[in-house]
Amino acid sequence: MAATTISVDQDQFCCAVCLEVLRDPATIPCGHSYCLDCIEDYWSKTKAREPYSCPQCRQEFSPKPLLSRNTVLAEVVDQFLRSGVRAAAPQPSKPQEVRCGACAGRKARAVRSCLTCLESYCEAHLRAHEERFHRKAHQLVAASDRLREQLCPLHDKLLRLYCPADRQCVCSQCVKDKHKGHDTVPLLDERAAQQKKLRDTSLKSMQKLKDTEKDLKYVIRYIKHATDAVVDESERIFSKLIQSMEKHRAEVKELLRFQEKAVVGHSEEALEKIQQEMAELRRTNGELERLCHTEDHVYFLQKCRTLHFPTNLVEMPNTDALTYVMYKSMRGTLVDVQSGLEETLHKEVARISDKVSSLKDAGTPSNPDKNKAPEVQLNPEPKTRADFLQYYHDLTLDSNTANPYLSFSDGRRSVTTRAEPQPYPDHPDRFTRWAQVLCRAGMAGRCYWEVEWAGKGGVSIGVCYKNMSRSGDGSECKLGHNSRSWTLDCSSTACTFLHNKESVAVSAPWGKRIGVYLDFRGGILSFYNVSDGMLLLHKERVTLTQPLYAGFWVGLGSTLKLCAH
């Protein structure tokens, strides 16, 4: 009779618990089969939540079914293994169990290994071993199939020591021969030291990556805020040009967005690299945790050298140069273009294009070695007045926001509070109750400006978000009295920093000329007395979410003037 050939797949003979080919298969009442040991272990963990159930179909059994080896299925599995199909099938990565070396015939699972006898034992033979050698110091460890690796290949003695000089595990004979005169330490001590060092390195590496990831995300938001402020200012200027300039306005806007996309794209690539490094570090940490749970010191010390923890950081784009030059150069050029002819417009817009395009390299992190992440480089905070003047911002008061009792002079660079209202037209941005005015352009980079004030009424010098309330006489409309504004209140008798109705008295002497420094990205707002030298009055750490506008309150009879640089 001809033999029947049946095509089978390894998955048909795999245990759903251990994912290995069935060992001592047992079939439960629902018809599913498992390794006898696997289903016993599975049910032993579910005693507190009877009835017992099938791991696959979840059919419940009560009481617990009696299990026995399915001899027919075991023979089929044996024939399947001998057929060579398993060799052709992909092998799972789960390590094989260690078997008892003292068992005759079918070997039971080993529970411990003896480093003295270099043999692994099941529970029964382990008891026999302990009875035989109970007076001798045999070292027992977790069951391992790498016992020969515990011995010195030169002297066939147990590796008990570690030589830091040669970074090798050594035996007692090695210390007398090749490693004579070297300092050695017990394997357990060296493992503990290496394990602590690796974990500390892992934590430091992860923290650096997290900090860099946070900085990169902030840089991306910062660039977008800065670009939005530039686009907003360009829109304001272009709205006053004749209809023939509409084409050029679109070109400038498109150019700004293109450069924003280019710079943000580089930052996002760096962010993706950092996130990939973090994912790789998590995988390494997983390997480290698995390695730290092994009791095999030699295996640990041999494998721990292969662990890699990234320590290089990412260089930040030079956003200060990018946003400052973009804004100041573009705005200065467009003001000139506004008063020029069509021929001048073509020439100056071309100049803008060249200037903004040349900033691409200034805002892009240089990284010649693609395999090495560049280091973070942040511009230092300015110290001297000359340093601050590098970020000088030319402000212009916005008459559409001015309270009716404010009067402008000196080309709208000076403002005074009068007793009689001025004939300003109605505007939704105008402050209706408080004698306040804002500047036109929003700021989202490093900016510095100075003002002079005079008069008995005092002034408030500060910044606010564009969405600060304007209409009404409540605190939400007064600078420094809400969460959207920060001010320095100056008078002839007192000087106070104010935010959200919380005030801080300034003890340093203040003067009639005040300098204001804003670092949007760094979250720093500082006020200085620049009447004689440069004296810090107050420095505030702030968390900013949108561009800021310079704003002022002017008391009755007082005057405030924007200083030119």
Side-chain angles (χ1 to χ4, degrees), residues 122-132:
C122 62
E123 292 183 357
H125 287 100
L126 180 62
R127 287 194 296 270
H129 175 274
E130 291 177 346
E131 291 174 358
R132 181 180 179 185

Coordinates of all heavy atoms in Angstrom, one line a residue, residues 122-132:
C122 N 18.0 18.1 37.3 CA 16.6 18.3 37.5 C 16.4 18.3 39.0 O 17.3 18.1 39.8 CB 15.8 17.2 36.8 SG 16.1 15.5 37.4
E123 N 15.2 18.4 39.5 CA 14.9 18.5 40.9 C 15.3 17.2 41.6 O 15.9 17.2 42.7 CB 13.4 18.8 41.2 CG 13.0 20.2 40.7 CD 11.5 20.4 41.1 OE1 10.9 19.5 41.6 OE2 11.1 21.6 40.8
A124 N 15.0 16.0 41.0 CA 15.3 14.8 41.6 C 16.9 14.6 41.8 O 17.4 14.2 42.8 CB 14.7 13.6 40.9
H125 N 17.6 14.8 40.7 CA 19.0 14.6 40.7 C 19.7 15.7 41.5 O 20.8 15.5 42.0 CB 19.6 14.5 39.3 CG 19.2 13.2 38.6 ND1 18.2 13.1 37.7 CD2 19.8 12.0 38.7 CE1 18.1 11.9 37.2 NE2 19.1 11.1 37.8
L126 N 19.1 16.9 41.6 CA 19.7 17.9 42.4 C 19.7 17.5 43.9 O 20.6 17.7 44.6 CB 18.9 19.2 42.2 CG 19.4 20.4 43.0 CD1 20.8 20.8 42.6 CD2 18.5 21.6 42.8
R127 N 18.6 16.9 44.3 CA 18.5 16.4 45.7 C 19.6 15.3 45.9 O 20.3 15.3 47.0 CB 17.1 15.8 46.0 CG 16.1 16.9 46.2 CD 14.8 16.3 46.8 NE 14.2 15.3 45.9 CZ 13.3 15.5 45.0 NH1 12.9 16.8 44.8 NH2 12.8 14.6 44.3
A128 N 19.8 14.4 45.0 CA 20.8 13.4 45.1 C 22.2 14.1 45.1 O 23.1 13.6 45.9 CB 20.7 12.4 43.9
H129 N 22.4 15.1 44.3 CA 23.7 15.8 44.3 C 23.9 16.5 45.7 O 25.1 16.4 46.2 CB 23.7 16.9 43.2 CG 24.9 17.8 43.2 ND1 25.0 18.9 44.0 CD2 26.0 17.7 42.5 CE1 26.1 19.5 43.7 NE2 26.8 18.7 42.8
E130 N 22.9 17.1 46.3 CA 23.1 17.8 47.5 C 23.4 16.8 48.7 O 24.1 17.0 49.6 CB 21.9 18.6 47.9 CG 21.7 19.8 46.9 CD 20.5 20.6 47.2 OE1 19.6 20.0 47.9 OE2 20.3 21.7 46.7
E131 N 22.7 15.6 48.6 CA 23.0 14.5 49.6 C 24.4 14.0 49.5 O 25.0 13.7 50.5 CB 22.0 13.4 49.5 CG 20.5 13.8 49.8 CD 19.6 12.7 49.5 OE1 20.0 11.6 49.0 OE2 18.3 12.9 49.8
R132 N 24.9 13.9 48.3 CA 26.2 13.4 48.1 C 27.3 14.4 48.5 O 28.4 14.0 49.1 CB 26.4 13.0 46.6 CG 27.8 12.3 46.3 CD 27.8 11.9 44.9 NE 29.1 11.4 44.6 CZ 29.5 11.0 43.3 NH1 28.7 11.2 42.3 NH2 30.7 10.5 43.1

